[in-house]
Amino acid sequence: MEGGKPSLALVYQAVQALYHDPDPAGKERASLWLGELQRSMYAWEVSDQLLQLKQDVESCYFAAQTMKMKIQTSFYELPPETHNALRDSLLTHIQNLKDLSPIIVTQLALAIADLALQMASWKGCVHTLIEKYNNDISSMPFLIEILTVLPEEVHSRSLRIGANRRTEIIEDLAYYSSTVVTLLTTCVEKTGNDEKMLIKVFRCLGSWFNLGVLDSNFMASNQLLMVLFQVLQRDETSTNLHEASSDCVCSALYAIENVDTNVALALQLFQGVLTLETAYHMAVAREDLDKVLNYCRIFTELCETFLETTVRTPGQGMGDLRTLELLLICAGHPQYEVVEISFNFWYRLGEHLYKINDPTLHAIFRPYIQRLLHCLARHCQLDPDHEGIPEDTDDFGEFRMRVSDLVKDVIFLVGSMECFAQLYSTLKDGNPPWEVTEAVLFIMASIAKSVDPENNPTLTEVLQQIVLLPESVHMAVRYTSIELVGEMSEVVDRNPRFLDSVLNYLMKGLREKPLASAAAKAIHNICSVCRDHMAQHFHGLLDIARSLDSFALSTEAAVGLLKGTALVLARLPLEKIAECLSDLCAVQVMALKKLLTEQSTNGKSADPTVWLDRLAVIFRHTNPIVENGQTHPCQKVIQEIWPVLSETLNTHQADNRIVERCCRCLRFAVRCVGKGSASLLQPLVTQMVGVYQVYPHSCFLYLGSILVDEYGMEEGCRQGLLDMLQALCMPTFQLLEQPNGLRNHPDTVDDLFRLATRFVQRSPVTLLSSSIIIHIIQCAIAATSLDHRDANCSVMKFVRDLIHTGVANDHEEDFEVRKRLIGQAMEQHGQQLVTQLMHSCCFCLPPYTLPDVAEVLWEVMVFDRPTFCRWLESALKGLPKETSGGAVTVTHKQCSTVCLSGASNSQVISETCL
């Protein structure tokens, strides 16, 4: 921080501005200045002094938050001899400020917990804290707060304490866990029914359950469990206490998921939860939705915990099916939010039963699923006074989508055909109100695809009845019936005699604004499944495509219609495809030409993305079967369209979004005709490189990877593609070499290494023999530390595939050349690569990236194991062996284990240091 340590008055003034300045610009300036202070070394002393002054809530909160942040992220700044003083200071502050504000206490508690986790010299911190404060009732709230956040912080990603230290801490906390529970029990006995204290106690107990260190036998006979269920059984329990109690029970149930090793505690929890049914009914009677939701959470967690027991021994002991009854009672609640809580359990139950595939078991659980489906159908009903179509995007619409997914997952237990027929009979034999009809049709649409369409009279009858629905029925019923028809496309394919009537029905919907998008989606489904039958209707589809914007379609629905039309187009005779494709593209091409003309005449720039997206979907899905030697029927059309696409790209070259759409369209055009697009290669590459020099849009790199994939194995194209790669790399490296360039441009990193990987796959010797390969490898090594999922994945894949080309003897004549070239590259960069990978694993990358790193290390080891082991040993020796808090991050034995076992255990060292 420039200018040295700021005065407390200046800091206080900035804090006041942050919270009270009416000018947003003033708040922003204060925030930036305080952020700079927090990152400086002065933050330690300033925070400590602010906390001592105890001037007001805002300054103390800022100081407490700063202290927590510094301990989390910058603990290494403090020399070891200051650690004890920092601990004592924090404990003094939390005691002095305990009555000022709960949020300050929480921040200081987190600071103390994070310090304890990093400060290896603070042995038995739990014991120390309890001994120091347990006799002072006024200190109990902050003591319990520290004991609550301590287990929560053990697995915090903010603290990189290493697996060794984390294991040591967990063992230490497990050793003192009974002491903590005894303290909590004593606290409840002393404070009686003090609600705030009970909430703190249950939150703390839940935190220790979540860490998984409580002794289950000790807890099974503990008084706290009894108090917990007494609180949940009482009708007068407040909302906040009820929620804390429910959270604690859920944590306890989650902690004993392995029921067989926690039998005593499992039995206590099982019996305790079963006593809550009456309390649930009381909450329903009082219309207390918060409590109802809490009980449903508890019942669901009970079922999740005892799922395997229930499936293994249904109706016996802790496999008692009353657990499912509790969930079905909740499913009967009129608010759909209640039943939604249990969805994950029903998914898991269905998955278990599907894997076991035991008809006897299915028969036991079938009645429960039938009752669940009945409840779900009722919950899916729209309000009787609802007008228009069902909403897809509101909360209720999303709930219905989740119901649809759940029904698809569990319907096998009931039988798709039986359920479909039963649902249809409720409509056929009765005369239900429109909202019931719509909900039934919705569930039928969910399961229609899982019903065998072969020789099924019920399905054909349903189809016949739907297309005869009068236009006078409620709009929502028409909308859902159109969706059902779309889901029954397999039935139409098996019964082509219905195709005309189905298409006429859908065309009526297409002409009505509320139904148009649903009808378009249904037509798309019919086209996808009934391609051969739809070929005779292609010109009707073409007419729809020509007048697409006369229908009230969403963008997605319009693109879907064009996709369906393209799929049918691909089934036409080859000699007709070119003309029909030209007709299909004509509307889009004319629209692009019109926009370009307007741009050139009056300078008005209009957005061409709608037309580019439509062309892209046409090219993507026009995939006719072309025999070897035949000219691709789409080749001529794409050549004719190229000038318009090229001019559109030039016109909008500064706009990344439009350029991306242009590249996407060109990508699918190239994929459509494959090597038939050879005549476009030179002008396309020339334009890409030219624009990229000025506007380095990463999508050009991606498009380049497509060209390499298509033409990289063609001898005559390799040098031209290499020239393209080199031309694209120069501005790319300039961009990535800027300060924070890799972090600021992850898309560029991702697409660059996709391009490089395609070259490795299609023409490795061309790339390895070039001068650019050294720079690409150096860039890859630098980018291994980038913690962006896609970018890191592309970098690792490139390095892995590159080395693998020198490992995999695929009997190609260039194998020895590849092996020699990889050997030269590894000799030059191998040590740097291994060192950087180990450093990235330990200090930069999230755990999900480690398998990709392990694959790279494996390839290096397979290529040259003795040399790799030397590189690995050198890399490991360079890692820090202790944290700034004195904890051992990696032992000599662990280092030796990794060196001896090679890359197969490369995750050991990284996990140790995380």
Side-chain angles (χ1 to χ4, degrees):
M1 194 168 196
E2 292 181 16
K5 178 190 165 189
S7 68
L8 289 182
L10 187 59
V11 176
Y12 183 73
Q13 186 182 340
V15 171
Q16 290 303 303
L18 179 67
Y19 285 103
H20 302 296
D21 193 330
D23 179 17
K27 282 180 180 286
E28 181 64 25
R29 282 194 300 274
S31 177
L32 290 171
W33 189 85
L34 289 169
E36 190 180 346
L37 171 62
Q38 286 181 318
R39 289 187 292 276
S40 75
M41 278 291 291
Y42 304 118
W44 296 103
E45 189 179 350
V46 169
S47 300
D48 190 54
Q49 291 172 344
L50 284 173
L51 290 167
Q52 284 176 26
L53 281 175
K54 197 179 173 180
Q55 199 153 356
D56 57 22
V57 171
E58 285 98 343
S59 61
C60 286
Y61 176 72
F62 168 75
Q65 186 191 43
T66 301
M67 196 64 89
K68 178 205 73 176
M69 191 188 83
K70 293 295 285 183
I71 291 171
Q72 281 184 345
T73 61
S74 308
F75 188 55
Y76 61 87
E77 292 177 350
L78 296 180
E81 60 268 20
T82 64
H83 294 172
N84 286 339
L86 175 62
R87 176 193 63 195
D88 297 341
S89 175
L90 286 171
L91 291 173
T92 301
H93 290 321
I94 200 169
Q95 190 157 25
N96 292 338
L97 297 166
K98 63 179 183 284
D99 300 320
L100 186 59
S101 167
I103 59 171
I104 294 171
V105 171
T106 298
Q107 291 298 308
L108 288 172
L110 284 164
I112 293 164
D114 291 339
L115 176 64
L117 296 176
Q118 295 182 89
M119 187 174 158
S121 59
W122 188 359
K123 304 291 184 187
C125 62
V126 171
H127 180 69
T128 308
L129 291 167
I130 291 175
E131 267 203 342
K132 187 176 177 72
Y133 298 112
N134 74 328
N135 292 321
D136 178 11
I137 196 71
S138 68
S139 300
M140 203 57 72
F142 75 74
L143 173 60
I144 293 178
E145 186 68 21
I146 296 170
L147 294 174
T148 301
V149 297
L150 185 62
E152 293 171 351
E153 290 295 286
V154 169
H155 293 290
S156 168
R157 287 290 299 165
S158 301
L159 300 175
R160 303 183 77 90
I161 57 177
N164 289 339
R165 174 63 179 155
R166 191 172 285 113
T167 302
E168 181 187 339
I169 290 162
I170 291 171
E171 288 173 356
D172 193 53
L173 295 182
Y175 182 79
Y176 290 110
S177 61
S178 299
T179 310
V180 173
V181 175
T182 303
L183 171 77
L184 296 177
T185 308
T186 307
C187 187
V188 170
E189 289 169 355
K190 284 182 180 178
T191 57
N193 290 325
D194 181 329
E195 181 183 309
K196 285 186 178 177
M197 187 54 74
L198 277 175
I199 289 173
K200 284 184 174 295
V201 166
F202 292 149
R203 273 191 60 229
C204 185
L205 183 61
S207 176
W208 285 75
F209 267 126
N210 287 334
L211 189 61
V213 294
L214 294 180
D215 182 281
S216 62
N217 291 323
F218 177 75
M219 286 308 305
S221 57
N222 191 271
Q223 188 75 10
L224 275 182
L225 269 193
M226 190 175 74
V227 175
L228 196 56
F229 284 110
Q230 284 173 350
V231 167
L232 287 167
Q233 287 161 1
R234 280 203 300 266
D235 182 37
E236 63 273 15
T237 298
S238 71
T239 301
N240 289 340
L241 179 56
H242 198 275
E243 183 173 2
S245 309
S246 301
D247 289 343
C248 187
V249 171
C250 289
S251 296
L253 286 165
Y254 185 79
I256 55 131
E257 195 128 32
N258 190 346
V259 174
D260 295 337
T261 57
N262 299 282
V263 176
L265 180 56
L267 188 59
Q268 290 298 316
L269 291 169
F270 186 86
Q271 292 171 344
V273 174
L274 289 181
T275 65
L276 300 179
E277 183 180 345
T278 305
Y280 168 83
H281 289 300
M282 185 61 73
V284 173
R286 293 191 184 280
E287 297 184 359
D288 190 335
L289 184 58
D290 288 333
K291 286 187 179 180
V292 166
L293 291 169
N294 285 336
Y295 287 125
C296 190
R297 281 197 299 125
I298 293 170
F299 297 156
T300 302
E301 199 63 61
L302 178 77
C303 290
E304 294 254 22
T305 297
F306 292 95
L307 172 59
E308 290 189 14
T309 309
T310 307
V311 171
R312 192 169 61 235
T313 55
Q316 300 172 35
M318 287 184 279
D320 194 327
L321 294 173
R322 279 184 295 169
T323 54
L324 300 190
E325 290 289 349
L326 289 174
L327 281 196
L328 289 172
I329 289 169
C330 292
H333 192 277
Q335 297 288 334
Y336 70 83
E337 295 92 342
V338 179
V339 68
E340 193 170 18
I341 290 171
S342 66
F343 278 14
N344 189 60
F345 165 74
W346 295 113
Y347 281 126
R348 286 187 60 206
L349 177 64
E351 189 179 37
H352 265 65
L353 293 172
Y354 185 80
K355 284 179 180 174
I356 295 170
N357 194 22
D358 180 346
T360 309
L361 265 182
H362 289 192
I364 292 170
F365 289 98
R366 183 174 295 120
Y368 295 94
I369 300 299
Q370 286 172 329
R371 288 163 60 191
L372 174 67
L373 293 175
H374 178 77
C375 291
L376 293 177
R378 186 167 45 75
H379 279 298
C380 284
Q381 290 174 19
L382 299 165
D383 290 335
D385 57 356
H386 178 91
E387 294 181 0
I389 64 171
E391 287 292 335
D392 287 339
T393 53
D394 62 6
D395 288 345
F396 185 56
E398 289 179 7
F399 166 74
R400 292 196 356 150
M401 288 301 102
R402 289 197 68 197
V403 167
S404 178
D405 291 339
L406 177 57
V407 169
K408 288 170 186 171
D409 277 6
V410 300
I411 194 63
F412 73 93
L413 285 164
V414 179
S416 304
M417 188 58 238
E418 293 85 344
C419 185
F420 194 87
Q422 193 176 3
L423 289 165
Y424 176 52
S425 68
T426 62
L427 302 180
K428 183 181 177 184
D429 301 335
N431 187 25
W434 75 264
E435 67 273 14
V436 175
T437 299
E438 191 279 334
V440 169
L441 289 171
F442 177 77
I443 301 295
M444 289 171 72
S446 300
I447 61 177
K449 280 186 177 173
S450 61
V451 181
D452 183 4
E454 206 67 57
N455 299 321
N456 197 318
T458 303
L459 288 174
T460 53
E461 186 180 338
V462 168
L463 201 56
Q464 283 176 299
Q465 292 302 314
I466 287 176
V467 298
L468 295 174
L469 274 176
E471 293 181 22
S472 58
V473 300
H474 194 285
M475 186 65 74
V477 174
R478 292 181 64 197
Y479 179 91
T480 305
S481 66
I482 286 171
E483 288 192 322
L484 176 54
V485 169
E487 294 298 306
M488 295 179 71
S489 48
E490 293 276 1
V491 182
V492 178
D493 190 45
R494 299 296 201 288
N495 300 274
R497 64 185 185 280
F498 295 122
L499 185 57
D500 287 352
S501 58
V502 165
L503 289 175
N504 287 336
Y505 175 69
L506 295 177
M507 280 305 299
K508 285 180 189 174
L510 194 62
R511 295 188 188 100
E512 291 188 49
K513 185 176 179 179
L515 305 175
S517 291
K521 185 180 176 184
I523 292 171
H524 165 214
N525 285 353
I526 299 287
C527 289
S528 299
V529 175
C530 315
R531 295 187 206 181
D532 293 326
H533 298 308
M534 284 297 293
Q536 60 184 307
H537 294 280
F538 177 76
H539 289 288
L541 292 171
L542 194 56
D543 289 339
I544 294 172
R546 283 172 175 152
S547 54
L548 210 52
D549 294 314
S550 66
F551 304 109
L553 297 174
S554 66
T555 303
E556 184 186 1
V559 167
L561 257 178
L562 287 173
K563 176 184 172 183
T565 306
L567 289 170
V568 175
L569 167 63
R571 293 301 174 93
L572 297 180
L574 279 183
E575 63 273 11
K576 292 187 177 180
I577 288 178
E579 182 187 349
C580 292
L581 177 62
S582 183
D583 289 344
L584 186 57
C585 294
V587 175
Q588 283 64 241
V589 174
M590 290 302 294
L592 288 173
K593 284 181 177 177
K594 184 181 176 185
L595 293 181
L596 291 168
T597 303
E598 289 174 358
Q599 171 84 9
S600 62
T601 54
N602 55 29
K604 181 183 171 186
S605 180
D607 189 346
T609 53
V610 169
W611 313 105
L612 291 170
D613 286 350
R614 290 181 182 181
L615 278 174
V617 80
I618 292 168
F619 294 147
R620 184 177 189 176
H621 297 285
T622 305
N623 297 310
I625 299 167
V626 181
E627 302 292 336
N628 283 338
Q630 289 183 307
T631 302
H632 199 290
C634 305
Q635 185 176 322
K636 182 169 177 287
V637 179
I638 289 173
Q639 285 170 345
E640 291 169 354
I641 292 172
W642 158 247
V644 180
L645 295 177
S646 175
E647 193 177 345
T648 302
L649 179 54
N650 262 343
T651 302
H652 298 279
Q653 60 184 274
D655 190 320
N656 183 61
R657 187 177 62 89
I658 295 174
V659 171
E660 276 194 351
R661 298 309 230 292
C662 282
C663 286
R664 184 170 176 272
C665 188
L666 287 164
R667 163 192 163 195
F668 289 123
V670 170
R671 288 293 199 201
C672 175
V673 294
K675 293 180 179 55
S677 62
S679 61
L680 300 182
L681 191 55
Q682 187 174 353
L684 174 55
V685 168
T686 303
Q687 185 171 8
M688 283 167 53
V689 170
V691 175
Y692 193 76
Q693 305 297 320
V694 186
Y695 302 105
H697 304 299
S698 72
C699 53
F700 285 124
L701 300 172
Y702 188 88
L703 183 55
S705 73
I706 301 300
L707 296 176
V708 172
D709 194 39
E710 289 290 341
Y711 296 102
M713 297 181 77
E714 299 292 310
E715 189 64 45
C717 299
R718 286 175 176 171
Q719 187 56 48
L721 291 171
L722 181 62
D723 293 342
M724 173 195 75
L725 173 66
Q726 291 174 321
L728 292 174
C729 276
M730 289 306 112
T732 303
F733 292 151
Q734 288 171 9
L735 185 70
L736 299 180
E737 284 166 4
Q738 294 173 2
N740 291 318
L742 293 166
R743 184 170 294 279
N744 293 339
H745 303 284
D747 291 343
T748 300
V749 175
D750 183 15
D751 291 331
L752 170 66
F753 287 101
R754 282 177 184 269
L755 169 56
T757 302
R758 290 292 194 195
F759 240 112
V760 169
Q761 293 167 344
R762 292 288 177 260
S763 186
V765 173
T766 305
L767 180 62
L768 287 164
S769 305
S770 71
S771 58
I772 198 69
I773 186 62
I774 300 298
H775 303 288
I776 294 175
I777 291 173
Q778 288 171 339
C779 184
I781 291 171
T784 55
S785 61
L786 186 60
D787 63 345
H788 182 280
R789 185 185 290 268
D790 293 337
N792 191 274
C793 182
S794 289
V795 171
M796 294 302 172
K797 180 165 175 53
F798 163 72
V799 180
R800 179 204 164 281
D801 285 6
L802 182 73
I803 299 167
H804 189 70
T805 58
V807 172
N809 188 353
D810 45 17
H811 304 293
E812 293 286 336
E813 57 189 33
D814 65 352
F815 172 67
E816 290 302 326
V817 179
R818 295 196 319 252
K819 187 175 180 180
R820 176 175 56 79
L821 291 170
I822 292 294
Q824 291 171 358
M826 292 305 294
E827 187 179 342
Q828 197 170 350
H829 301 287
Q831 179 67 75
Q832 186 188 0
L833 172 65
V834 173
T835 301
Q836 181 69 16
L837 285 172
M838 298 316 298
H839 183 273
S840 297
C841 282
C842 295
F843 304 112
C844 307
L845 299 179
Y848 64 76
T849 62
L850 299 185
D852 291 339
V853 178
E855 285 197 14
V856 173
L857 292 170
W858 175 264
E859 291 296 337
V860 180
M861 186 192 73
V862 172
F863 184 75
D864 185 348
R865 184 168 190 144
T867 307
F868 166 70
C869 287
R870 288 198 302 275
W871 290 339
L872 184 59
E873 184 179 6
S874 174
L876 295 178
K877 283 178 178 175
L879 293 173
K881 304 299 185 292
E882 281 190 2
T883 65
S884 52
V888 175
T889 54
V890 57
T891 65
H892 178 73
K893 184 180 178 182
Q894 287 170 325
C895 282
S896 302
T897 301
V898 177
C899 289
L900 289 170
S901 56
S904 57
N905 275 336
S906 61
Q907 280 183 258
V908 172
I909 188 68
S910 53
E911 288 171 357
T912 301
C913 296
L914 281 174

